[in-house]
Amino acid sequence: SNYAECDRGSSAATATATATATATATQVYQDLVGFLKSPNRPDLRLEATKAVLQCVTDRDQSLALVDHGVLKPLLSIISMGTSSTADQSIQDAAWNALQALLSWTSWEPPVVVDALLQEHVVPRLVEVVMDCPCPPPKVASDTASDTVSDTVSDNNNNNNDNGFTNRLVDASLAVLANVTRTSEGALELVGTTLPQEAVYNQQSNNDND
């Protein structure tokens, strides 16, 4: 009977420890999502996106974050990063958010893609791509000195607004490519976000001619 009582006591202690750990993890996820939403605290948002990036390689932690609503504030941060008034903290946070989405949308099966579609990821990222200003066209150089100068200029662009814009657009397009691997994502792109360019709309117009 003593052994039975010890077993029951051990089971109860284990259950209590598990419940405590679960409650603690839940609070951590809730706090992290709250930090991502912090108004007027770009520094706090940046640190929160760094914490999210540390979780992307852990499937259980990532899914827990998704379940606690991490996707919507991440998309909001990405949109904020395209603003002409965005400071370095917001730009860095937007980049981190895109890297997290890029990792999650590469999963198979695409469980996070389904959740992202519910948060209207396609129109939001299309808006990011369309709103970003295009960099000025490059002018062909006729001399070696011009070529060296252009190379130095291109390297410097990685640290200015044009360089960030290029990276932001490229990452947004990469996420869109992952999202549109599913039929739902593809339909969202061509049938809802870009209705005038949708394949079935074009076919319908041709039939009416």
Side-chain angles (χ1 to χ4, degrees):
S1 61
N2 289 337
Y3 287 123
E5 290 178 0
C6 288
D7 288 342
R8 285 196 295 270
S10 177
S11 298
T14 300
T16 300
T18 301
T20 301
T22 301
T24 301
T26 298
Q27 186 62 51
V28 169
Y29 295 135
Q30 290 175 345
D31 289 345
L32 183 55
V33 172
F35 294 150
L36 290 170
K37 299 177 180 179
S38 299
N40 305 318
R41 287 295 305 275
D43 56 329
L44 194 55
R45 290 184 186 227
L46 174 58
E47 293 305 315
T49 59
K50 291 179 180 178
V52 170
L53 274 181
Q54 293 178 355
C55 297
V56 296
T57 56
D58 188 300
R59 193 177 186 88
D60 291 337
Q61 289 184 358
S62 295
L63 291 177
L65 280 172
V66 172
D67 289 341
H68 283 84
V70 75
L71 298 179
K72 188 172 184 178
L74 287 180
L75 289 170
S76 296
I77 289 173
I78 293 170
S79 297
M80 293 170 60
T82 64
S83 172
S84 59
T85 60
D87 61 15
Q88 189 64 49
S89 294
I90 287 298
Q91 290 183 349
D92 290 343
W95 178 251
N96 291 342
L98 276 169
Q99 293 307 298
L101 297 190
L102 186 57
S103 177
W104 287 335
T105 54
S106 66
W107 287 2
E108 290 293 348
V111 290
V112 179
V113 170
D114 296 336
L116 276 169
L117 289 174
Q118 295 178 15
E119 297 295 343
H120 310 291
V121 62
V122 172
R124 297 188 75 160
L125 289 186
V126 167
E127 183 177 358
V128 168
V129 173
M130 300 299 289
D131 285 350
C132 283
C134 295
K138 294 182 179 180
V139 178
S141 301
D142 295 330
T143 66
S145 60
D146 288 339
T147 302
V148 172
S149 176
D150 289 343
T151 301
V152 173
S153 177
D154 289 342
N155 290 335
N156 290 337
N157 278 343
N158 292 327
N159 298 319
N160 64 21
D161 291 342
N162 284 341
F164 173 74
T165 296
N166 292 339
R167 292 193 300 133
L168 196 70
V169 169
D170 288 346
S172 298
L173 290 173
V175 174
L176 282 172
N178 284 346
V179 170
T180 53
R181 289 182 299 134
T182 67
S183 57
E184 294 83 359
L187 181 61
E188 180 73 15
L189 176 65
V190 299
T192 304
T193 304
L194 305 173
Q196 298 303 317
E197 291 78 14
V199 173
Y200 56 80
N201 277 358
Q202 292 292 337
Q203 183 64 44
S204 177
N205 291 337
N206 292 335
D207 291 343
N208 291 334
D209 289 342

